[in-house]
Amino acid sequence: MRKFKDALYLVTDSTNLDEEEYLNRVYKACKSGVDIVQIREKDKTAREIMRLGEAVKEITDKFNIPLIIDDRVDIAYALGVGVHLGSSDIPVTIARKILGKDAIIGSSAKSVEVAKECEKDGANYLGVGAIRPTKTKVITKLTSVDTLDDISKNVDIDVFAIGGLNKDNIEILNGLDISGVCVVRAIMQRSDADIAVQELKQKIKCIRSQC
């Protein structure tokens, strides 16, 4: 069952940011209306992610926003938050046993077959992409808008488009029945993260209505 509509999902990236500015941008984004936050920091140690997670959780809790940890089920368990799993991470079924029935567990999917399997295994949502070329440190192949559309039509859980999306190209998603959009640099590389969120939220509202 889908829970999100016209949602903006922030995936963090601390590249070229000190911790104070990183947290400042996350705070501005949360205050301005992001719907979900995921901590994805590929180059940090488990201890560093844990410490950062504690700081970010104070922010997300303040605004009642779900917090997700990328890959690390152990850290998600320690913080009492959700997790996002890629194809090389532990299975969704195992993560569900560890985190419990109420935890938010997301999974990456690039085909209808994989998407259906993730849904069957207990994922709450899917991240589908990369829709556009991305400059983040995550190595991924492009996923077509047609595939994104097919996936959204064949599962009942939330589906988020991810990968290289910003306010200038998000129109390629117009007309699709998706739950929302994940962005990284479009917010994290903006000192005015609050304005970036407002711009993106307005664009996302137009996906369904094609305004």
Side-chain angles (χ1 to χ4, degrees), residues 37-195:
V37 174
Q38 178 190 143
I39 296 177
R40 185 174 73 184
E41 301 291 339
K42 298 295 187 181
D43 294 337
K44 292 188 181 300
T45 66
R47 187 179 294 271
E48 289 171 333
I49 295 171
M50 182 70 193
R51 185 172 59 82
L52 197 61
E54 290 172 335
V56 172
K57 190 172 186 295
E58 288 187 12
I59 298 171
T60 54
D61 282 354
K62 178 180 177 66
F63 295 101
N64 196 30
I65 296 171
L67 178 61
I68 309 294
I69 302 294
D70 184 47
D71 298 343
R72 299 299 300 259
V73 177
D74 54 343
I75 298 175
Y77 178 82
L79 291 172
V81 301
V83 71
H84 184 89
L85 303 169
S87 58
S88 61
D89 296 321
I90 73 169
V92 171
T93 51
I94 302 301
R96 179 62 67 196
K97 289 180 180 179
I98 295 170
L99 298 180
K101 62 182 181 63
D102 296 326
I104 298 177
I105 298 178
S107 187
S108 300
K110 290 181 173 292
S111 69
V112 172
E113 180 182 12
V114 171
K116 286 183 174 181
E117 189 68 23
C118 292
E119 180 180 29
K120 178 183 176 183
D121 288 345
N124 299 100
Y125 76 84
L126 301 171
V128 179
I131 303 302
R132 302 288 292 171
T134 174
K135 295 181 180 179
T136 64
K137 297 174 183 177
V138 178
I139 300 174
T140 184
K141 295 181 179 179
L142 293 182
T143 302
S144 70
V145 172
D146 287 340
T147 298
L148 170 62
D149 190 31
D150 287 342
I151 289 173
S152 70
K153 290 176 178 176
N154 280 277
V155 297
D156 292 323
I157 57 177
D158 287 301
V159 175
F160 294 92
I162 188 170
L165 295 165
N166 57 57
K167 67 182 180 65
D168 296 322
N169 63 20
I170 209 168
E171 288 88 353
I172 64 173
L173 305 176
N174 282 358
L176 301 187
D177 181 22
I178 60 175
S179 302
V181 176
C182 302
V183 301
V184 187
R185 294 171 59 86
I187 292 176
M188 293 304 299
Q189 292 302 307
R190 291 270 300 267
S191 59
D192 58 345
D194 48 348
I195 302 300

Side-chain angles (χ1 to χ4, degrees), residues 25-44:
R25 294 185 187 189
V26 171
Y27 182 89
K28 285 182 177 179
C30 290
K31 186 177 182 180
S32 296
V34 296
D35 299 281
I36 312 176
V37 174
Q38 178 190 143
I39 296 177
R40 185 174 73 184
E41 301 291 339
K42 298 295 187 181
D43 294 337
K44 292 188 181 300

